[in-house]
DNA sequence: CTATGGCACGGATT
DNA sequence: AATCCGTGCCATAG
């Protein structure tokens, strides 16, 4: 109820009035959390009319809210009529990463780790005993130039120059760092990370003989699962290559820091980093299982027009008055637009959660195929608005997986999942056409050719090659 | 001969 | 208008 009234208030005051308004709203909608954060920070530093009012934590759950608003989750009494989701905008500046613990009964801000800082200190603690006192600044420098995947952004040469030291010294330090826990961290490329991981692994385990060579020379082909191709190059049966490939996929991680994001599957076609969700879905505790949907606002409070500024402008000196007035309008516009953006997001999510409830709870097989234009129709907005809403944003499901919102519109996903299921269940290999008829029986209308395509997307080998392999335990 | 992957076309989606 | 996706045809590997 509370959240509803909140939304209505917004609706009234938020009709876009000018073209500038619309244009800005649109461009804001396109941004994801991080980009928005950037934008707001820029704005804050350049426009004195804008200020951020701190939020206050809800005493029971710790979520942050503006002073006069109570927490919709805690103030929500469970006997309320409908089973619609609790949905609200949740401001947070330092939100990064995934909730680590699996129990989500209570919300504990401590459980949300701050990825970047934590990665630094985490790694640093490990290497500290192994490096010389005088190398510490260099090590710190290296750690601070890691990107969110744990890869090194700056070149080793640059770092060496910066510290007026030799390249080999830097590389020495690098190799120490690379061998501590997120193994391969501070590598210069995914390939290097893989190689380091192989190296470390081979000290204690048996590694397929070709693994190293494949990673260093044929990574391109490997990422496309062209096992036969690679096999031809090395003159070995593709079964062997595929076993090696499986080993690599199962045991290595091209983006070292992502091991911290739970068991995030390395999606076959993604180089993108999905780290800060723009929307978080969790569930309330047992009896009334409702979704709690948080639209994450990337700034730590509420954006407002600075009241001091309002006062000051009244007796502004003549020559400044015009500029000040302009700043003021600009700030007001931005605030409105951001609210509009949030409003759209809220409406969008409400509908999505309703439609895809099964998917959110039960996983890929239950995804309903939905198009953006359908959503646009339902919400009475233009298609492109939905496109913008979806673009580049991510969402965290109750099972802690972070997925791009666009996945919710993937028409093929549920069929791919179904194929995976079929292949995992049947123990004698089925040919593509058999799978195709099987799918048709179950109501999925797909051609044989398409099955083949999906298979390769999923990284599943053709029937003949599946013969002798130990059942693929990919989940 | 069968199963599969490549290329490319057309229709849908964004 | 640009892009993505499913599918059909054909060549090729087994």
């Amino acid at each position: 109820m509370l959240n509803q009234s909140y939304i209505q208030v917004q609706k009234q005051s938020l009709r876009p009035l000018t073209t500038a308004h619309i244009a800005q709203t649109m461009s804001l909608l396109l941004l994801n959390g991080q980009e928005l954060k950037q934008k707001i920070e820029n704005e804050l530093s350049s426009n004195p009319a804008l200020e951020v009012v701190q939020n206050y934590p809800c005493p029971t759950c710790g979520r942050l809210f503006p002073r006069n608003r109570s927490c919709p989750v805690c103030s929500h009494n469970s006997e309320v009529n409908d089973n619609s989701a609790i949905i609200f905008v949740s401001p947070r500046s330092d939100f990064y990463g995934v909730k680590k613990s699996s129990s989500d009964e209570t919300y504990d801000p401590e459980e949300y780790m701050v990825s970047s800082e934590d990665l630094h200190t985490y790694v640093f603690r490990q290497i500290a005993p192994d490096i010389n006192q005088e190398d510490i600044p260099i090590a710190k420098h290296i750690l601070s130039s890691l990107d969110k995947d744990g890869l090194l952004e700056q070149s080793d040469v640059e770092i060496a120059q910066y510290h007026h030291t030799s390249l080999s010294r830097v590389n020495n330090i690098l190799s120490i760092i690379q061998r501590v826990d997120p193994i391969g961290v501070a590598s210069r490329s995914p390939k290097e990370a893989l190689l380091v991981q192989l190296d470390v692994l081979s000290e204690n385990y048996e590694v397929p003989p070709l693994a190293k060579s494949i990673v260093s020379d044929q990574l391109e082909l490997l990422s496309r699962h062209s096992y036969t191709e690679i096999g031809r190059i090395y003159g070995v049966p593709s079964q062997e290559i595929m076993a090696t490939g499986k080993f690599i996929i199962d045991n290595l991680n091209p983006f070292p820091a992502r091991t911290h994001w739970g068991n995030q599957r390395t999606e076959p076609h993604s180089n993108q980093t999905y780290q800060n969700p723009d929307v978080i879905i969790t569930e309330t505790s047992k009896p009334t299982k409702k979704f709690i949907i948080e639209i994450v606002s990337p700034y730590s409070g509420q954006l407002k027009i600075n009241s001091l500024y309002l006062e000051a402008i009244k007796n502004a000196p003549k020559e400044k008055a015009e500029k000040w007035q302009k700043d003021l309008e600009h700030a007001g516009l931005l605030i409105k637009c951001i609210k509009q953006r949030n409003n759209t997001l809220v409406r969008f999510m409400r509908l999505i959660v309703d439609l895809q409830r099964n998917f959110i709870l039960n996983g890929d097989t239950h995804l309903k195929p939905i198009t953006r234009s359908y959503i646009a129709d339902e919400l009475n907005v233009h298609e492109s608005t939905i496109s913008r809403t979806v673009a580049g944003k991510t969402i965290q499901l109750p099972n802690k997986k972070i997925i791009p919102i666009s996945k919710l519109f993937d028409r093929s996903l549920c069929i791919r999942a179904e194929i995976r299921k079929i292949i995992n269940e049947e123990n004698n290999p089925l040919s593509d056409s058999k799978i195709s008829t099987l799918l048709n029986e179950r109501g999925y209308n797909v051609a044989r050719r398409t099955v083949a395509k999906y298979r390769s997307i999923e990284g599943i080998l053709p029937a003949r090659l599946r013969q002798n392999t130990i059942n693929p335990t990919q989940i």
Side-chain angles (χ1 to χ4, degrees):
Chain A
M1 343 167 8
L2 211 151
N3 43 334
Q4 267 174 10
S5 61
Y6 169 51
I7 289 162
Q8 274 160 18
V9 170
Q10 278 195 348
K11 264 188 187 168
Q12 281 174 7
S13 61
L14 282 176
R15 281 286 116 82
L17 297 171
T18 64
T19 49
H21 191 155
I22 295 171
Q24 188 165 14
T25 309
M26 287 311 169
S27 71
L28 283 179
L29 204 53
L30 190 58
L31 305 178
N32 66 22
Q34 286 160 79
E35 291 157 347
L36 186 65
K37 181 176 181 180
Q38 190 65 46
K39 162 109 187 167
I40 290 171
E41 275 166 10
N42 286 345
E43 207 65 41
L44 277 173
S45 58
S46 67
N47 188 337
L50 207 59
E51 71 168 345
V52 171
V53 181
Q54 271 308 319
N55 284 311
Y56 295 87
C58 162
T60 32
C61 73
R63 289 176 171 85
L64 296 170
F65 288 99
R67 165 167 271 164
N68 53 0
R69 190 141 50 89
S70 53
C71 167
V73 177
C74 300
S75 64
H76 174 89
N77 35 4
S78 48
E79 18 85 26
V80 175
N81 44 26
D82 58 334
N83 63 342
S84 67
I86 307 168
I87 178 165
F88 56 95
V89 177
S90 172
R92 245 180 246 166
S93 69
D94 52 352
F95 181 86
Y96 281 102
V98 185
K99 207 175 182 182
K100 268 178 122 180
S101 120
S102 51
S103 74
D104 51 7
E105 289 297 322
T106 52
Y107 177 94
D108 177 4
E110 289 301 313
E111 284 180 351
Y112 286 86
M113 57 180 202
V114 179
S115 74
S116 33
E117 271 93 343
D118 259 15
L119 185 61
H120 302 167
T121 44
Y122 177 66
V123 174
F124 188 74
R125 223 181 306 129
Q126 295 178 78
I127 58 167
D130 290 342
I131 59 176
N132 303 327
Q133 200 64 30
E134 61 269 28
D135 286 342
I136 287 181
I138 304 177
K140 284 199 167 168
H141 183 166
I142 291 171
L143 290 178
S144 67
S145 74
L146 296 180
D147 68 14
K148 48 237 168 207
D149 288 328
L151 298 176
L152 196 60
E153 277 181 329
Q154 249 173 316
S155 78
D156 42 7
V157 184
E158 266 177 87
I159 294 173
Q161 278 170 354
Y162 184 85
H163 289 275
H164 308 289
T165 184
S166 70
L167 189 57
S168 63
R169 186 160 155 220
V170 172
N171 279 329
N172 246 345
I173 302 170
L174 265 180
S175 64
I176 294 174
I177 295 177
Q178 284 171 356
R179 287 167 168 269
V180 299
D181 179 58
I183 294 171
V185 72
S187 295
R188 273 142 288 201
S189 65
K191 185 196 275 188
E192 187 183 359
L194 292 177
L195 286 173
V196 171
Q197 288 164 19
L198 270 179
D199 214 32
V200 173
L201 226 55
S202 66
E203 286 167 11
N204 296 315
Y205 298 91
E206 201 173 324
V207 173
L210 284 176
K212 200 165 174 178
S213 170
I214 291 177
V215 168
S216 63
D217 300 333
Q218 311 298 340
L219 201 57
E220 252 296 290
L221 291 173
L222 185 70
S223 67
R224 277 188 271 122
H225 301 286
S226 313
Y227 298 111
T228 15
E229 182 83 352
I230 301 174
R232 210 176 298 135
I233 292 169
Y234 288 96
V236 297
S238 49
Q239 279 96 327
E240 187 178 340
I241 303 295
M242 108 108 201
T244 309
K246 183 166 157 45
F247 176 88
I248 290 171
I249 289 165
D250 285 354
N251 295 297
L252 309 183
N253 179 354
F255 304 100
R258 280 201 213 165
T259 44
H260 288 275
W261 312 121
N263 313 325
Q264 192 162 68
R265 265 191 62 211
T266 34
E267 299 287 338
H269 41 261
S270 75
N271 318 324
Q272 294 163 8
T273 55
Y274 307 131
Q275 25 115 48
N276 305 353
D278 299 288
V279 178
I280 306 167
I281 302 180
T282 44
E283 277 181 289
T284 53
S285 43
K286 289 122 204 169
T288 52
K289 279 220 163 188
K290 290 185 166 207
F291 286 131
I292 304 171
I293 300 164
E294 298 178 52
I295 314 281
V296 176
S297 291
Y299 46 95
S300 67
Q302 227 189 354
L303 283 178
K304 283 226 165 126
I305 303 279
N306 191 330
S307 48
L308 292 176
Y309 192 87
L310 269 178
E311 281 301 313
I313 204 168
K314 282 178 191 160
N315 26 358
K318 268 232 167 90
E319 69 277 14
K320 295 265 177 89
E322 196 178 322
K323 184 185 179 300
W324 288 17
Q325 188 63 38
K326 231 173 149 188
D327 276 352
L328 185 68
E329 278 166 21
H330 193 73
L333 184 64
L334 183 72
I335 292 172
K336 271 191 187 173
C337 291
I338 287 176
K339 282 191 179 166
Q340 177 78 49
R341 176 192 131 106
N342 288 339
N343 185 29
T344 311
L345 235 40
V346 166
R347 298 210 300 145
F348 173 81
M349 282 313 300
R350 169 162 297 149
L351 183 58
I352 288 290
V353 165
D354 201 30
L355 289 170
Q356 301 287 22
R357 166 173 260 110
N358 260 334
F359 164 74
I360 293 167
L361 292 172
N362 304 323
D364 289 0
T365 15
H366 298 80
L367 183 75
K368 267 197 218 167
I370 299 198
T371 66
R372 291 161 172 80
S373 46
Y374 173 76
I375 302 286
D377 252 16
E378 291 290 303
L379 292 180
N380 281 322
V381 294
H382 196 276
E383 291 173 331
S384 64
T385 309
I386 302 299
S387 282
R388 283 185 249 259
T389 312
V390 172
K393 297 194 188 57
T394 56
I395 175 174
Q396 183 179 0
L397 303 179
N399 64 15
K400 311 295 177 277
K401 286 229 167 93
I402 298 178
I403 59 164
I405 294 187
S406 56
K407 193 170 169 178
L408 295 170
F409 295 93
D410 191 329
R411 276 164 296 160
S412 62
L413 192 74
C414 57
I415 305 181
R416 295 209 307 260
E418 199 65 39
I419 291 176
R420 236 183 312 166
K421 217 169 108 195
I422 290 176
I423 291 179
N424 274 342
E425 281 168 7
E426 298 299 341
N427 30 14
N428 55 328
L430 295 165
S431 74
D432 286 350
S433 35
K434 295 231 180 74
I435 295 175
S436 171
T437 50
L438 253 162
L439 283 171
N440 280 315
E441 281 165 24
R442 300 191 192 186
Y444 300 103
N445 210 351
V446 270
R448 178 238 113 208
R449 189 63 190 78
T450 313
V451 175
K453 271 258 155 64
Y454 288 168
R455 238 197 28 249
S456 70
I457 293 177
E458 292 295 323
I460 301 171
L461 286 175
R464 337 161 132 267
L465 299 179
R466 268 183 272 134
Q467 296 279 1
N468 307 321
T469 43
I470 318 127
N471 125 56
T473 30
Q474 215 186 40
I475 297 167

